[in-house]
Amino acid sequence: MADKLIIGNWKMNTRRDSGKALIDALSASDITNQPWVGVAVPTVYLAQAAECLKGSRIALSSQDVSRFDKDGAFTGEVSAAMLKDAGCAYALVGHSERRQYFAEGNDALLSKMRHAIAAGVTPVLCVGETLEEREAGRYLDVVFSQLAILSELTAGDYVIAYEPVWAIGTGKVASLEQIAEIHSAIKNWCLQNAKASDKIRVLYGGSVKAENAESILATENVDGALVGGASLDADSFRMICQAAGKLI
Ligand code: 13P
């Protein structure tokens, strides 16, 4: 089985001290060997996190990237080149909270994917349906329409994270059958419609915790996890990473 990728998305949490303490606790624990681990920290703390992660195998991720790539008059924006310069290996793109609160749609997200790839930062494209869309039986159409931008990319490495909106921060987890169905559908879609390699990784996100991580990560076509709340607690995140390590 290939190595799993586990990324902790801190969202708009932590301060300078608590973020450093979290990274120090993770670096001191045994998760640095296997599997692949990353932390997506708030932009303002990326440089500090990069410093704390020196010599560690834990990768740094941003939570977003600008849709603009040229330096210039884009107040408040952070470009892919800046993220690369700050030490980011990954950038989250199109998280459902960005789609919901910042109206990010496919045009902007395609630019973000392109710029991240061009800068050598691996984008993690987040997709997923709302509860209403799930209950109306439209979840596959919704996810495929979010994936559509991948057919516009000519090449490049990227990761996909399937995060059903109804499972984010709610404690409700998609069933293993639901996860298996959609992960397989996402991979098939990518193979048919995008120039994705057959090694494309699809992570699951939505209320992943120490208690449910092993069964989720053992599900077919689940190549890792994008972890929100549980990544803010070093012990919980370490246990999730260890669950992934057992499956390698
Ligand atoms: P929770 O793990 O808190 O449900 O969040 C998932 C998520 O949105 C990760 O990006």
Side-chain angles (χ1 to χ4, degrees):
M1 201 177 296
D3 288 3
K4 305 282 186 188
L5 171 64
I6 310 292
I7 298 180
N9 176 8
W10 294 4
K11 307 191 179 183
M12 197 168 78
N13 292 294
T14 70
R15 294 289 184 276
R16 205 207 274 262
D17 288 352
S18 56
K20 182 178 182 322
L22 193 45
I23 286 181
D24 287 348
L26 296 176
S27 302
S29 67
D30 50 359
I31 62 162
T32 43
N33 299 325
Q34 299 282 355
W36 297 104
V37 175
V39 283
V41 313
T43 313
V44 69
Y45 299 129
L46 284 173
Q48 174 189 259
E51 196 59 35
C52 297
L53 287 170
K54 265 194 187 143
S56 154
R57 248 186 102 216
I58 299 176
L60 186 61
S61 174
S62 66
Q63 299 178 6
D64 188 25
V65 57
S66 179
R67 68 189 168 95
F68 301 105
D69 64 335
K70 302 271 178 292
D71 287 7
F74 302 107
T75 302
E77 286 293 271
V78 176
S79 70
M82 291 172 178
L83 296 177
K84 179 74 181 172
D85 193 35
C88 288
Y90 297 96
L92 305 187
V93 171
H95 190 282
S96 62
E97 288 146 19
R98 305 268 345 148
R99 294 177 190 262
Q100 182 183 351
Y101 301 124
F102 302 94
E104 292 190 356
N106 275 2
D107 286 351
L109 297 177
L110 176 58
S111 301
K112 290 176 182 224
M113 294 290 289
R114 282 199 171 122
H115 300 330
I117 291 169
V121 176
T122 303
V124 180
L125 178 68
C126 304
V127 298
E129 79 286 358
T130 62
L131 185 59
E132 199 189 357
E133 291 161 344
R134 161 78 46 181
E135 287 178 345
R138 293 198 292 117
Y139 56 98
L140 287 176
D141 287 345
V142 169
V143 168
F144 293 162
S145 70
Q146 293 169 337
L147 292 172
I149 57 173
L150 298 177
S151 56
E152 306 287 322
L153 296 174
T154 43
D157 187 25
Y158 51 79
V159 175
I160 294 167
Y162 169 64
E163 299 202 299
V165 177
W166 47 274
I168 295 177
T170 58
K172 263 191 206 171
V173 191
S175 71
L176 299 182
E177 292 71 27
Q178 287 172 326
I179 296 174
E181 181 204 17
I182 199 141
H183 277 237
S184 143
I186 288 172
K187 284 197 181 177
N188 286 335
W189 187 96
C190 287
L191 287 174
Q192 281 162 22
N193 300 286
K195 289 167 198 74
S197 86
D198 54 2
K199 293 199 181 55
I200 187 152
R201 286 171 296 179
V202 183
L203 316 184
Y204 171 79
S207 296
V208 175
K209 308 265 179 268
E211 304 79 57
N212 59 22
E214 193 168 344
S215 57
I216 293 172
L217 290 166
T219 301
E220 203 171 355
N221 291 316
V222 175
D223 304 301
L226 187 53
V227 184
S231 72
L232 295 169
D233 178 82
D235 283 340
S236 300
F237 192 58
R238 183 178 43 78
M239 283 190 267
I240 293 168
C241 295
Q242 279 169 344
K246 274 195 220 163
L247 298 165
I248 292 167

